[in-house]
């Protein structure tokens, strides 16, 4: 029976699953965005977000705890120096999953998983939307110069005779 075994085992034994998630977390930290299957991305989010949350407080204890999971000095350095600065005021939700469709070979659902504060394209879009306002050209070109005079000069429409 599989009572209280709610996480996805990903078809792997525990050691293989831990190695897979650690390697994917290192890749996510170093590259800020990775392409994978949806099941692996959801498992990675559960694995990586507590480690990223530890980086908010740069202490020796937190560095050693994160290193015990990842075993990569460059990733630890990147996480505690650069990423922790960007996520300092964020209360959680450090990753975003963007679905990209199905894989051709086996029809597996694929997606991107990325760090939220590092997607420059989405950050630029939100900044651009708040800055600019749009005016409709059709409205100004079709509208008469004096709308009150246009209403007074218009002839009332009579109902059509049947």
């Amino acid at each position: 029976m599989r009572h209280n075994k709610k996480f996805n085992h990903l078809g792997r034994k525990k050691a293989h699953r831990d190695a897979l998630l650690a390697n994917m977390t290192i890749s996510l930290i170093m590259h800020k965005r990775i392409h994978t299957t949806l099941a692996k991305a959801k498992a990675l989010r559960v694995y990586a977000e507590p480690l990223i949350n530890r980086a908010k407080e740069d202490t020796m204890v937190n560095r050693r705890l994160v290193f015990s999971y990842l075993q990569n000095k460059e990733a630890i350095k990147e996480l505690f120096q650069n990423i922790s600065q960007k996520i300092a005021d964020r209360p959680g939700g450090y990753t975003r999953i963007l679905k990209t469709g199905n894989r051709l070979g086996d029809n597996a659902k694929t997606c991107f998983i990325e760090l939220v504060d590092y997607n420059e394209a989405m950050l630029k879009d939100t900044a651009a939307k708040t800055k600019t306002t749009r005016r409709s050209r059709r409205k100004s070109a079709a509208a008469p110069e004096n709308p009150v005079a246009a209403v007074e000069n218009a002839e009332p429409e009579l109902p059509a005779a049947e």
Side-chain angles (χ1 to χ4, degrees):
M1 286 188 240
R2 56 174 307 275
H3 297 303
N4 292 330
K5 296 183 180 181
K6 295 182 181 180
F7 64 93
N8 193 346
H9 295 278
L10 300 174
R12 291 162 170 82
K13 301 284 185 183
K14 180 175 178 14
H16 188 187
R17 188 171 54 248
D18 287 344
L20 170 81
L21 293 174
N23 286 331
M24 288 177 70
T25 304
I26 291 168
S27 295
L28 180 65
I29 289 170
M30 298 305 286
H31 302 293
K32 313 302 187 271
R33 174 187 242 200
I34 57 175
H35 185 85
T36 184
T37 63
L38 186 61
K40 286 180 187 175
K42 287 180 178 179
L44 176 63
R45 180 172 49 188
V46 172
Y47 186 87
E49 288 206 5
L51 298 179
I52 295 171
N53 195 28
R54 286 236 176 235
K56 284 184 174 183
E57 187 180 348
D58 190 6
T59 62
M60 186 60 69
V61 173
N62 285 344
R63 281 182 177 263
R64 286 180 175 172
L65 276 169
V66 174
F67 185 77
S68 71
Y69 285 95
L70 300 184
Q71 301 290 318
N72 188 312
K73 289 181 182 178
E74 289 81 23
I76 301 299
K77 190 182 299 183
E78 176 73 18
L79 178 64
F80 279 88
Q81 286 179 356
N82 300 333
I83 296 174
S84 65
Q85 302 301 319
K86 285 209 171 191
I87 63 161
D89 58 340
R90 184 176 287 278
Y94 308 114
T95 58
R96 175 187 296 127
I97 295 177
L98 301 168
K99 296 176 186 175
T100 57
N102 294 347
R103 197 162 49 196
L104 288 178
D106 58 354
N107 209 30
K109 295 179 181 177
T110 58
C111 66
F112 282 108
I113 183 168
E114 64 185 6
L115 295 175
V116 172
D117 294 320
Y118 280 91
N119 189 345
E120 288 82 16
M122 288 186 116
L123 293 175
K124 277 192 245 179
D125 289 345
T126 57
K129 286 179 185 175
T130 57
K131 286 182 182 178
T132 61
T133 59
R134 184 175 174 198
R135 290 182 168 176
S136 177
R137 290 186 205 149
R138 291 183 194 160
K139 202 178 240 185
S140 63
E145 293 179 16
N146 191 354
V148 176
V151 171
E152 292 173 355
N153 294 337
E155 297 177 5
E157 292 184 358
L158 300 173
E162 294 179 347

